[in-house]
mmCIF file of all heavy atoms in Angstrom:
data_model
loop_
_atom_site.group_PDB
_atom_site.id
_atom_site.type_symbol
_atom_site.label_atom_id
_atom_site.label_comp_id
_atom_site.label_asym_id
_atom_site.label_seq_id
_atom_site.Cartn_x
_atom_site.Cartn_y
_atom_site.Cartn_z
ATOM 1 N N ALA A 56 18.473 -9.395 25.528
ATOM 2 C CA ALA A 56 19.711 -10.062 25.101
ATOM 3 C C ALA A 56 20.397 -9.245 24.010
ATOM 4 O O ALA A 56 19.734 -8.657 23.146
ATOM 5 C CB ALA A 56 19.394 -11.460 24.581
ATOM 6 N N GLN A 57 21.715 -9.182 24.049
ATOM 7 C CA GLN A 57 22.480 -8.479 23.017
ATOM 8 C C GLN A 57 22.657 -9.369 21.792
ATOM 9 O O GLN A 57 22.540 -10.587 21.872
ATOM 10 C CB GLN A 57 23.859 -8.092 23.558
ATOM 11 C CG GLN A 57 23.848 -6.884 24.482
ATOM 12 C CD GLN A 57 23.675 -5.568 23.730
ATOM 13 O OE1 GLN A 57 23.474 -5.555 22.523
ATOM 14 N NE2 GLN A 57 23.727 -4.458 24.447
ATOM 15 N N GLY A 58 22.974 -8.751 20.666
ATOM 16 C CA GLY A 58 23.330 -9.514 19.478
ATOM 17 C C GLY A 58 22.145 -9.910 18.625
ATOM 18 O O GLY A 58 21.021 -9.444 18.820
ATOM 19 N N PHE A 59 22.423 -10.795 17.672
ATOM 20 C CA PHE A 59 21.418 -11.201 16.682
ATOM 21 C C PHE A 59 20.735 -12.497 17.102
ATOM 22 O O PHE A 59 21.371 -13.388 17.673
ATOM 23 C CB PHE A 59 22.085 -11.371 15.313
ATOM 24 C CG PHE A 59 22.575 -10.077 14.746
ATOM 25 C CD1 PHE A 59 23.867 -9.625 15.019
ATOM 26 C CD2 PHE A 59 21.757 -9.290 13.964
ATOM 27 C CE1 PHE A 59 24.316 -8.418 14.516
ATOM 28 C CE2 PHE A 59 22.202 -8.069 13.450
ATOM 29 C CZ PHE A 59 23.481 -7.637 13.730
ATOM 30 N N GLN A 60 19.471 -12.595 16.803
ATOM 31 C CA GLN A 60 18.675 -13.766 17.179
ATOM 32 C C GLN A 60 18.088 -14.425 15.924
ATOM 33 O O GLN A 60 18.087 -13.841 14.856
ATOM 34 C CB GLN A 60 17.571 -13.343 18.136
ATOM 35 C CG GLN A 60 18.123 -12.717 19.416
ATOM 36 C CD GLN A 60 17.057 -12.170 20.349
ATOM 37 O OE1 GLN A 60 15.933 -12.667 20.394
ATOM 38 N NE2 GLN A 60 17.417 -11.143 21.109
ATOM 39 N N TYR A 61 17.600 -15.645 16.104
ATOM 40 C CA TYR A 61 17.049 -16.464 14.999
ATOM 41 C C TYR A 61 18.081 -16.639 13.889
ATOM 42 O O TYR A 61 17.762 -16.591 12.703
ATOM 43 C CB TYR A 61 15.766 -15.841 14.426
ATOM 44 C CG TYR A 61 14.770 -15.415 15.453
ATOM 45 C CD1 TYR A 61 14.258 -14.115 15.477
ATOM 46 C CD2 TYR A 61 14.323 -16.306 16.433
ATOM 47 C CE1 TYR A 61 13.343 -13.716 16.428
ATOM 48 C CE2 TYR A 61 13.399 -15.908 17.395
ATOM 49 C CZ TYR A 61 12.913 -14.606 17.381
ATOM 50 O OH TYR A 61 12.017 -14.213 18.331
ATOM 51 N N ARG A 62 19.330 -16.815 14.272
ATOM 52 C CA ARG A 62 20.410 -16.913 13.277
ATOM 53 C C ARG A 62 20.454 -18.274 12.607
ATOM 54 O O ARG A 62 20.243 -19.314 13.250
ATOM 55 C CB ARG A 62 21.764 -16.644 13.937
ATOM 56 C CG ARG A 62 22.053 -15.186 14.198
ATOM 57 C CD ARG A 62 23.352 -15.006 14.957
ATOM 58 N NE ARG A 62 24.470 -15.653 14.301
ATOM 59 C CZ ARG A 62 25.627 -15.894 14.884
ATOM 60 N NH1 ARG A 62 25.816 -15.559 16.144
ATOM 61 N NH2 ARG A 62 26.602 -16.489 14.220
ATOM 62 N N THR A 63 20.767 -18.261 11.312
ATOM 63 C CA THR A 63 21.061 -19.477 10.543
ATOM 64 C C THR A 63 22.327 -19.216 9.739
ATOM 65 O O THR A 63 22.420 -18.189 9.046
ATOM 66 C CB THR A 63 19.917 -19.810 9.566
ATOM 67 O OG1 THR A 63 18.720 -20.041 10.305
ATOM 68 C CG2 THR A 63 20.247 -21.054 8.747
ATOM 69 N N LYS A 64 23.296 -20.121 9.867
ATOM 70 C CA LYS A 64 24.530 -19.956 9.097
ATOM 71 C C LYS A 64 24.897 -21.282 8.441
ATOM 72 O O LYS A 64 25.087 -22.296 9.127
ATOM 73 C CB LYS A 64 25.673 -19.479 9.991
ATOM 74 C CG LYS A 64 26.942 -19.156 9.207
ATOM 75 C CD LYS A 64 28.022 -18.563 10.091
ATOM 76 C CE LYS A 64 29.253 -18.212 9.257
ATOM 77 N NZ LYS A 64 30.336 -17.654 10.079
ATOM 78 N N VAL A 65 24.999 -21.248 7.116
ATOM 79 C CA VAL A 65 25.351 -22.440 6.336
ATOM 80 C C VAL A 65 26.396 -22.026 5.305
ATOM 81 O O VAL A 65 26.228 -20.987 4.629
ATOM 82 C CB VAL A 65 24.112 -23.019 5.615
ATOM 83 C CG1 VAL A 65 24.504 -24.252 4.799
ATOM 84 C CG2 VAL A 65 23.014 -23.348 6.603
ATOM 85 N N ASP A 66 27.468 -22.809 5.180
ATOM 86 C CA ASP A 66 28.470 -22.507 4.153
ATOM 87 C C ASP A 66 27.831 -22.526 2.778
ATOM 88 O O ASP A 66 27.079 -23.440 2.433
ATOM 89 C CB ASP A 66 29.604 -23.541 4.205
ATOM 90 C CG ASP A 66 30.557 -23.255 5.350
ATOM 91 O OD1 ASP A 66 30.550 -22.116 5.859
ATOM 92 O OD2 ASP A 66 31.290 -24.180 5.754
ATOM 93 N N TRP A 67 28.145 -21.514 1.984
ATOM 94 C CA TRP A 67 27.559 -21.422 0.645
ATOM 95 C C TRP A 67 28.665 -21.576 -0.403
ATOM 96 O O TRP A 67 28.636 -22.506 -1.215
ATOM 97 C CB TRP A 67 26.842 -20.078 0.514
ATOM 98 C CG TRP A 67 26.137 -19.853 -0.786
ATOM 99 C CD1 TRP A 67 25.911 -20.775 -1.768
ATOM 100 C CD2 TRP A 67 25.558 -18.633 -1.242
ATOM 101 N NE1 TRP A 67 25.216 -20.210 -2.804
ATOM 102 C CE2 TRP A 67 24.984 -18.896 -2.508
ATOM 103 C CE3 TRP A 67 25.456 -17.354 -0.715
ATOM 104 C CZ2 TRP A 67 24.330 -17.904 -3.239
ATOM 105 C CZ3 TRP A 67 24.799 -16.379 -1.438
ATOM 106 C CH2 TRP A 67 24.243 -16.653 -2.680
ATOM 107 N N ILE A 68 29.652 -20.680 -0.380
ATOM 108 C CA ILE A 68 30.820 -20.789 -1.268
ATOM 109 C C ILE A 68 32.047 -20.736 -0.351
ATOM 110 O O ILE A 68 32.671 -19.665 -0.196
ATOM 111 C CB ILE A 68 30.850 -19.665 -2.316
ATOM 112 C CG1 ILE A 68 29.487 -19.514 -2.990
ATOM 113 C CG2 ILE A 68 31.929 -19.926 -3.364
ATOM 114 C CD1 ILE A 68 29.398 -18.349 -3.956
ATOM 115 N N PRO A 69 32.406 -21.859 0.273
ATOM 116 C CA PRO A 69 33.456 -21.845 1.306
ATOM 117 C C PRO A 69 34.794 -21.314 0.794
ATOM 118 O O PRO A 69 35.522 -20.656 1.546
ATOM 119 C CB PRO A 69 33.564 -23.324 1.703
ATOM 120 C CG PRO A 69 32.289 -23.950 1.268
ATOM 121 C CD PRO A 69 31.822 -23.186 0.079
ATOM 122 N N SER A 70 35.126 -21.588 -0.460
ATOM 123 C CA SER A 70 36.419 -21.149 -0.967
ATOM 124 C C SER A 70 36.553 -19.624 -0.974
ATOM 125 O O SER A 70 37.660 -19.086 -0.951
ATOM 126 C CB SER A 70 36.636 -21.705 -2.377
ATOM 127 O OG SER A 70 35.609 -21.245 -3.234
ATOM 128 N N LEU A 71 35.436 -18.914 -1.012
ATOM 129 C CA LEU A 71 35.460 -17.447 -1.010
ATOM 130 C C LEU A 71 35.017 -16.863 0.329
ATOM 131 O O LEU A 71 34.882 -15.640 0.468
ATOM 132 C CB LEU A 71 34.556 -16.908 -2.132
ATOM 133 C CG LEU A 71 34.973 -17.250 -3.565
ATOM 134 C CD1 LEU A 71 33.960 -16.699 -4.561
ATOM 135 C CD2 LEU A 71 36.360 -16.686 -3.865
ATOM 136 N N GLY A 72 34.759 -17.746 1.299
ATOM 137 C CA GLY A 72 34.328 -17.263 2.610
ATOM 138 C C GLY A 72 32.915 -16.708 2.605
ATOM 139 O O GLY A 72 32.576 -15.830 3.409
ATOM 140 N N ILE A 73 32.084 -17.179 1.699
ATOM 141 C CA ILE A 73 30.694 -16.707 1.587
ATOM 142 C C ILE A 73 29.763 -17.738 2.199
ATOM 143 O O ILE A 73 29.895 -18.945 1.937
ATOM 144 C CB ILE A 73 30.313 -16.466 0.110
ATOM 145 C CG1 ILE A 73 31.180 -15.359 -0.485
ATOM 146 C CG2 ILE A 73 28.841 -16.122 -0.024
ATOM 147 C CD1 ILE A 73 31.015 -15.182 -1.985
ATOM 148 N N SER A 74 28.846 -17.275 3.020
ATOM 149 C CA SER A 74 27.896 -18.190 3.669
ATOM 150 C C SER A 74 26.486 -17.631 3.576
ATOM 151 O O SER A 74 26.282 -16.419 3.381
ATOM 152 C CB SER A 74 28.286 -18.395 5.136
ATOM 153 O OG SER A 74 28.258 -17.160 5.818
ATOM 154 N N TYR A 75 25.532 -18.542 3.717
ATOM 155 C CA TYR A 75 24.143 -18.092 3.893
ATOM 156 C C TYR A 75 23.971 -17.828 5.387
ATOM 157 O O TYR A 75 23.863 -18.753 6.187
ATOM 158 C CB TYR A 75 23.153 -19.165 3.406
ATOM 159 C CG TYR A 75 21.723 -18.819 3.760
ATOM 160 C CD1 TYR A 75 21.033 -17.860 3.031
ATOM 161 C CD2 TYR A 75 21.084 -19.430 4.842
ATOM 162 C CE1 TYR A 75 19.734 -17.517 3.366
ATOM 163 C CE2 TYR A 75 19.782 -19.091 5.185
ATOM 164 C CZ TYR A 75 19.119 -18.128 4.447
ATOM 165 O OH TYR A 75 17.836 -17.776 4.790
ATOM 166 N N HIS A 76 24.017 -16.586 5.774
ATOM 167 C CA HIS A 76 23.982 -16.205 7.184
ATOM 168 C C HIS A 76 22.919 -15.130 7.375
ATOM 169 O O HIS A 76 23.048 -14.018 6.856
ATOM 170 C CB HIS A 76 25.361 -15.681 7.607
ATOM 171 C CG HIS A 76 25.507 -15.510 9.085
ATOM 172 N ND1 HIS A 76 26.608 -14.949 9.679
ATOM 173 C CD2 HIS A 76 24.674 -15.837 10.116
ATOM 174 C CE1 HIS A 76 26.467 -14.940 10.986
ATOM 175 N NE2 HIS A 76 25.292 -15.463 11.273
ATOM 176 N N VAL A 77 21.871 -15.476 8.089
ATOM 177 C CA VAL A 77 20.798 -14.510 8.359
ATOM 178 C C VAL A 77 20.517 -14.470 9.854
ATOM 179 O O VAL A 77 20.799 -15.424 10.588
ATOM 180 C CB VAL A 77 19.497 -14.851 7.590
ATOM 181 C CG1 VAL A 77 19.698 -14.731 6.090
ATOM 182 C CG2 VAL A 77 18.995 -16.250 7.957
ATOM 183 N N GLY A 78 19.974 -13.380 10.306
ATOM 184 C CA GLY A 78 19.609 -13.193 11.713
ATOM 185 C C GLY A 78 19.065 -11.782 11.873
ATOM 186 O O GLY A 78 19.184 -10.947 10.962
ATOM 187 N N VAL A 79 18.465 -11.501 13.015
ATOM 188 C CA VAL A 79 17.863 -10.176 13.223
ATOM 189 C C VAL A 79 18.226 -9.629 14.593
ATOM 190 O O VAL A 79 18.400 -10.380 15.560
ATOM 191 C CB VAL A 79 16.323 -10.228 13.096
ATOM 192 C CG1 VAL A 79 15.909 -10.473 11.662
ATOM 193 C CG2 VAL A 79 15.717 -11.270 14.018
ATOM 194 N N ASP A 80 18.345 -8.300 14.653
ATOM 195 C CA ASP A 80 18.419 -7.599 15.940
ATOM 196 C C ASP A 80 17.118 -6.816 16.102
ATOM 197 O O ASP A 80 16.166 -7.018 15.343
ATOM 198 C CB ASP A 80 19.661 -6.702 15.980
ATOM 199 C CG ASP A 80 19.668 -5.685 14.837
ATOM 200 O OD1 ASP A 80 18.713 -5.690 14.027
ATOM 201 O OD2 ASP A 80 20.610 -4.889 14.760
ATOM 202 N N GLY A 81 17.072 -5.930 17.091
ATOM 203 C CA GLY A 81 15.830 -5.207 17.361
ATOM 204 C C GLY A 81 15.380 -4.345 16.199
ATOM 205 O O GLY A 81 14.177 -4.246 15.914
ATOM 206 N N MET A 82 16.336 -3.675 15.543
ATOM 207 C CA MET A 82 15.974 -2.845 14.386
ATOM 208 C C MET A 82 15.452 -3.705 13.243
ATOM 209 O O MET A 82 14.418 -3.392 12.622
ATOM 210 C CB MET A 82 17.197 -2.049 13.926
ATOM 211 C CG MET A 82 16.984 -1.283 12.641
ATOM 212 S SD MET A 82 18.410 -0.304 12.107
ATOM 213 C CE MET A 82 19.644 -1.580 11.831
ATOM 214 N N ALA A 83 16.159 -4.792 12.948
ATOM 215 C CA ALA A 83 15.782 -5.612 11.798
ATOM 216 C C ALA A 83 14.415 -6.264 11.987
ATOM 217 O O ALA A 83 13.607 -6.277 11.050
ATOM 218 C CB ALA A 83 16.849 -6.682 11.561
ATOM 219 N N ILE A 84 14.131 -6.778 13.187
ATOM 220 C CA ILE A 84 12.839 -7.453 13.380
ATOM 221 C C ILE A 84 11.700 -6.431 13.294
ATOM 222 O O ILE A 84 10.602 -6.752 12.806
ATOM 223 C CB ILE A 84 12.809 -8.231 14.721
ATOM 224 C CG1 ILE A 84 11.597 -9.158 14.780
ATOM 225 C CG2 ILE A 84 12.802 -7.291 15.915
ATOM 226 C CD1 ILE A 84 11.608 -10.269 13.799
ATOM 227 N N SER A 85 11.951 -5.180 13.746
ATOM 228 C CA SER A 85 10.919 -4.135 13.631
ATOM 229 C C SER A 85 10.656 -3.798 12.172
ATOM 230 O O SER A 85 9.501 -3.642 11.752
ATOM 231 C CB SER A 85 11.369 -2.882 14.382
ATOM 232 O OG SER A 85 11.621 -3.170 15.730
ATOM 233 N N LEU A 86 11.727 -3.679 11.391
ATOM 234 C CA LEU A 86 11.553 -3.367 9.966
ATOM 235 C C LEU A 86 10.945 -4.540 9.203
ATOM 236 O O LEU A 86 10.174 -4.342 8.259
ATOM 237 C CB LEU A 86 12.903 -2.971 9.357
ATOM 238 C CG LEU A 86 13.435 -1.607 9.814
ATOM 239 C CD1 LEU A 86 14.860 -1.375 9.320
ATOM 240 C CD2 LEU A 86 12.524 -0.481 9.323
ATOM 241 N N LEU A 87 11.283 -5.760 9.614
ATOM 242 C CA LEU A 87 10.658 -6.927 8.973
ATOM 243 C C LEU A 87 9.158 -6.928 9.224
ATOM 244 O O LEU A 87 8.368 -7.244 8.317
ATOM 245 C CB LEU A 87 11.268 -8.220 9.527
ATOM 246 C CG LEU A 87 12.659 -8.624 9.040
ATOM 247 C CD1 LEU A 87 13.067 -9.940 9.687
ATOM 248 C CD2 LEU A 87 12.698 -8.765 7.530
ATOM 249 N N LEU A 88 8.759 -6.579 10.451
ATOM 250 C CA LEU A 88 7.326 -6.561 10.779
ATOM 251 C C LEU A 88 6.607 -5.503 9.945
ATOM 252 O O LEU A 88 5.537 -5.773 9.376
ATOM 253 C CB LEU A 88 7.152 -6.275 12.277
ATOM 254 C CG LEU A 88 5.739 -6.431 12.836
ATOM 255 C CD1 LEU A 88 5.245 -7.861 12.670
ATOM 256 C CD2 LEU A 88 5.690 -6.023 14.305
ATOM 257 N N MET A 89 7.186 -4.308 9.855
ATOM 258 C CA MET A 89 6.578 -3.247 9.054
ATOM 259 C C MET A 89 6.530 -3.656 7.578
ATOM 260 O O MET A 89 5.516 -3.467 6.906
ATOM 261 C CB MET A 89 7.373 -1.956 9.246
ATOM 262 C CG MET A 89 6.801 -0.739 8.541
ATOM 263 S SD MET A 89 7.465 -0.531 6.879
ATOM 264 C CE MET A 89 9.152 -0.041 7.237
ATOM 265 N N THR A 90 7.624 -4.236 7.082
ATOM 266 C CA THR A 90 7.687 -4.628 5.668
ATOM 267 C C THR A 90 6.635 -5.674 5.329
ATOM 268 O O THR A 90 5.923 -5.563 4.318
ATOM 269 C CB THR A 90 9.091 -5.177 5.349
ATOM 270 O OG1 THR A 90 10.057 -4.161 5.590
ATOM 271 C CG2 THR A 90 9.188 -5.636 3.901
ATOM 272 N N SER A 91 6.531 -6.698 6.162
ATOM 273 C CA SER A 91 5.569 -7.773 5.878
ATOM 274 C C SER A 91 4.141 -7.238 5.928
ATOM 275 O O SER A 91 3.284 -7.663 5.145
ATOM 276 C CB SER A 91 5.762 -8.939 6.843
ATOM 277 O OG SER A 91 5.617 -8.515 8.180
ATOM 278 N N LEU A 92 3.860 -6.284 6.831
ATOM 279 C CA LEU A 92 2.524 -5.690 6.894
ATOM 280 C C LEU A 92 2.249 -4.861 5.634
ATOM 281 O O LEU A 92 1.159 -4.937 5.049
ATOM 282 C CB LEU A 92 2.412 -4.801 8.142
ATOM 283 C CG LEU A 92 1.094 -4.036 8.275
ATOM 284 C CD1 LEU A 92 -0.080 -5.003 8.469
ATOM 285 C CD2 LEU A 92 1.157 -3.041 9.437
ATOM 286 N N VAL A 93 3.236 -4.086 5.211
ATOM 287 C CA VAL A 93 3.055 -3.230 4.026
ATOM 288 C C VAL A 93 2.783 -4.089 2.781
ATOM 289 O O VAL A 93 1.954 -3.721 1.935
ATOM 290 C CB VAL A 93 4.298 -2.334 3.827
ATOM 291 C CG1 VAL A 93 4.320 -1.725 2.432
ATOM 292 C CG2 VAL A 93 4.324 -1.238 4.881
ATOM 293 N N PHE A 94 3.436 -5.236 2.665
ATOM 294 C CA PHE A 94 3.177 -6.085 1.493
ATOM 295 C C PHE A 94 1.775 -6.698 1.549
ATOM 296 O O PHE A 94 1.137 -6.855 0.505
ATOM 297 C CB PHE A 94 4.253 -7.162 1.372
ATOM 298 C CG PHE A 94 5.429 -6.721 0.544
ATOM 299 C CD1 PHE A 94 6.537 -6.153 1.147
ATOM 300 C CD2 PHE A 94 5.414 -6.828 -0.836
ATOM 301 C CE1 PHE A 94 7.616 -5.714 0.389
ATOM 302 C CE2 PHE A 94 6.482 -6.395 -1.610
ATOM 303 C CZ PHE A 94 7.596 -5.836 -0.995
ATOM 304 N N VAL A 95 1.294 -7.039 2.748
ATOM 305 C CA VAL A 95 -0.096 -7.505 2.848
ATOM 306 C C VAL A 95 -1.032 -6.420 2.318
ATOM 307 O O VAL A 95 -1.953 -6.690 1.527
ATOM 308 C CB VAL A 95 -0.460 -7.850 4.320
ATOM 309 C CG1 VAL A 95 -1.950 -8.136 4.439
ATOM 310 C CG2 VAL A 95 0.346 -9.045 4.804
ATOM 311 N N VAL A 96 -0.785 -5.194 2.750
ATOM 312 C CA VAL A 96 -1.624 -4.072 2.322
ATOM 313 C C VAL A 96 -1.497 -3.849 0.812
ATOM 314 O O VAL A 96 -2.491 -3.598 0.123
ATOM 315 C CB VAL A 96 -1.216 -2.805 3.104
ATOM 316 C CG1 VAL A 96 -1.862 -1.564 2.511
ATOM 317 C CG2 VAL A 96 -1.597 -2.952 4.572
ATOM 318 N N ALA A 97 -0.268 -3.955 0.288
ATOM 319 C CA ALA A 97 -0.066 -3.742 -1.158
ATOM 320 C C ALA A 97 -0.836 -4.781 -1.975
ATOM 321 O O ALA A 97 -1.458 -4.450 -2.994
ATOM 322 C CB ALA A 97 1.423 -3.811 -1.485
ATOM 323 N N PHE A 98 -0.817 -6.033 -1.541
ATOM 324 C CA PHE A 98 -1.562 -7.075 -2.270
ATOM 325 C C PHE A 98 -3.068 -6.884 -2.124
ATOM 326 O O PHE A 98 -3.826 -7.100 -3.071
ATOM 327 C CB PHE A 98 -1.155 -8.458 -1.768
ATOM 328 C CG PHE A 98 0.231 -8.865 -2.211
ATOM 329 C CD1 PHE A 98 1.199 -9.244 -1.289
ATOM 330 C CD2 PHE A 98 0.568 -8.865 -3.556
ATOM 331 C CE1 PHE A 98 2.470 -9.613 -1.698
ATOM 332 C CE2 PHE A 98 1.838 -9.235 -3.982
ATOM 333 C CZ PHE A 98 2.800 -9.608 -3.051
ATOM 334 N N LEU A 99 -3.484 -6.499 -0.919
ATOM 335 C CA LEU A 99 -4.913 -6.252 -0.679
ATOM 336 C C LEU A 99 -5.406 -5.113 -1.568
ATOM 337 O O LEU A 99 -6.472 -5.194 -2.181
ATOM 338 C CB LEU A 99 -5.091 -5.897 0.799
ATOM 339 C CG LEU A 99 -6.471 -6.004 1.428
ATOM 340 C CD1 LEU A 99 -7.065 -7.395 1.238
ATOM 341 C CD2 LEU A 99 -6.395 -5.660 2.913
ATOM 342 N N TRP A 100 -4.611 -4.065 -1.652
ATOM 343 C CA TRP A 100 -4.986 -2.893 -2.449
ATOM 344 C C TRP A 100 -5.039 -3.236 -3.936
ATOM 345 O O TRP A 100 -5.805 -2.650 -4.694
ATOM 346 C CB TRP A 100 -3.964 -1.776 -2.210
ATOM 347 C CG TRP A 100 -4.383 -0.455 -2.768
ATOM 348 C CD1 TRP A 100 -4.136 0.037 -4.013
ATOM 349 C CD2 TRP A 100 -5.154 0.547 -2.099
ATOM 350 N NE1 TRP A 100 -4.689 1.280 -4.161
ATOM 351 C CE2 TRP A 100 -5.318 1.622 -2.999
ATOM 352 C CE3 TRP A 100 -5.714 0.657 -0.820
ATOM 353 C CZ2 TRP A 100 -6.030 2.782 -2.654
ATOM 354 C CZ3 TRP A 100 -6.413 1.809 -0.481
ATOM 355 C CH2 TRP A 100 -6.563 2.841 -1.398
ATOM 356 N N SER A 101 -4.252 -4.224 -4.355
ATOM 357 C CA SER A 101 -4.114 -4.535 -5.787
ATOM 358 C C SER A 101 -5.054 -5.639 -6.260
ATOM 359 O O SER A 101 -4.896 -6.130 -7.387
ATOM 360 C CB SER A 101 -2.663 -4.961 -6.080
ATOM 361 O OG SER A 101 -1.749 -3.998 -5.650
ATOM 362 N N LEU A 102 -6.018 -6.021 -5.445
ATOM 363 C CA LEU A 102 -6.873 -7.162 -5.816
ATOM 364 C C LEU A 102 -7.621 -6.944 -7.129
ATOM 365 O O LEU A 102 -8.008 -7.911 -7.791
ATOM 366 C CB LEU A 102 -7.874 -7.460 -4.690
ATOM 367 C CG LEU A 102 -7.302 -8.189 -3.476
ATOM 368 C CD1 LEU A 102 -8.374 -8.400 -2.412
ATOM 369 C CD2 LEU A 102 -6.697 -9.539 -3.881
ATOM 370 N N LYS A 103 -7.842 -5.680 -7.500
ATOM 371 C CA LYS A 103 -8.605 -5.432 -8.734
ATOM 372 C C LYS A 103 -7.726 -5.062 -9.924
ATOM 373 O O LYS A 103 -8.219 -4.537 -10.923
ATOM 374 C CB LYS A 103 -9.649 -4.355 -8.474
ATOM 375 C CG LYS A 103 -10.714 -4.817 -7.478
ATOM 376 C CD LYS A 103 -11.983 -4.020 -7.545
ATOM 377 C CE LYS A 103 -13.048 -4.662 -6.652
ATOM 378 N NZ LYS A 103 -14.309 -3.913 -6.657
ATOM 379 N N VAL A 104 -6.427 -5.304 -9.805
ATOM 380 C CA VAL A 104 -5.543 -5.083 -10.947
ATOM 381 C C VAL A 104 -5.904 -6.044 -12.072
ATOM 382 O O VAL A 104 -6.034 -7.255 -11.854
ATOM 383 C CB VAL A 104 -4.061 -5.290 -10.534
ATOM 384 C CG1 VAL A 104 -3.169 -5.395 -11.758
ATOM 385 C CG2 VAL A 104 -3.600 -4.144 -9.646
ATOM 386 N N GLU A 105 -6.105 -5.503 -13.281
ATOM 387 C CA GLU A 105 -6.530 -6.343 -14.408
ATOM 388 C C GLU A 105 -5.474 -6.449 -15.502
ATOM 389 O O GLU A 105 -5.567 -7.296 -16.381
ATOM 390 C CB GLU A 105 -7.824 -5.770 -15.002
ATOM 391 C CG GLU A 105 -8.996 -5.818 -14.012
ATOM 392 C CD GLU A 105 -10.248 -5.192 -14.583
ATOM 393 O OE1 GLU A 105 -10.143 -4.568 -15.668
ATOM 394 O OE2 GLU A 105 -11.309 -5.311 -13.945
ATOM 395 N N ASP A 106 -4.473 -5.570 -15.460
ATOM 396 C CA ASP A 106 -3.442 -5.550 -16.488
ATOM 397 C C ASP A 106 -2.312 -6.524 -16.115
ATOM 398 O O ASP A 106 -1.539 -6.253 -15.194
ATOM 399 C CB ASP A 106 -2.899 -4.118 -16.623
ATOM 400 C CG ASP A 106 -1.821 -4.016 -17.691
ATOM 401 O OD1 ASP A 106 -1.698 -4.951 -18.502
ATOM 402 O OD2 ASP A 106 -1.098 -3.005 -17.705
ATOM 403 N N ARG A 107 -2.233 -7.647 -16.821
ATOM 404 C CA ARG A 107 -1.195 -8.676 -16.602
ATOM 405 C C ARG A 107 -1.005 -8.996 -15.116
ATOM 406 O O ARG A 107 0.089 -8.842 -14.572
ATOM 407 C CB ARG A 107 0.134 -8.226 -17.215
ATOM 408 C CG ARG A 107 0.106 -8.093 -18.723
ATOM 409 C CD ARG A 107 1.235 -7.251 -19.247
ATOM 410 N NE ARG A 107 1.005 -5.844 -18.937
ATOM 411 C CZ ARG A 107 1.773 -4.840 -19.340
ATOM 412 N NH1 ARG A 107 2.838 -5.093 -20.058
ATOM 413 N NH2 ARG A 107 1.501 -3.589 -19.021
#
Side-chain angles (χ1 to χ4, degrees):
Q57 283 285 5
F59 293 90
Q60 300 175 30
Y61 313 126
R62 282 175 54 195
T63 299
K64 186 175 182 181
V65 179
D66 282 342
W67 182 10
I68 312 175
S70 60
L71 296 178
I73 297 172
S74 61
Y75 172 77
H76 191 186
V77 295
V79 290
D80 58 0
M82 173 179 63
I84 192 66
S85 302
L86 289 172
L87 284 181
L88 189 61
M89 184 269 289
T90 299
S91 58
L92 176 65
V93 165
F94 270 93
V95 172
V96 169
F98 288 125
L99 198 55
W100 191 270
S101 305
L102 283 179
K103 294 200 173 179
V104 166
E105 296 177 351
D106 180 15
R107 295 162 287 185

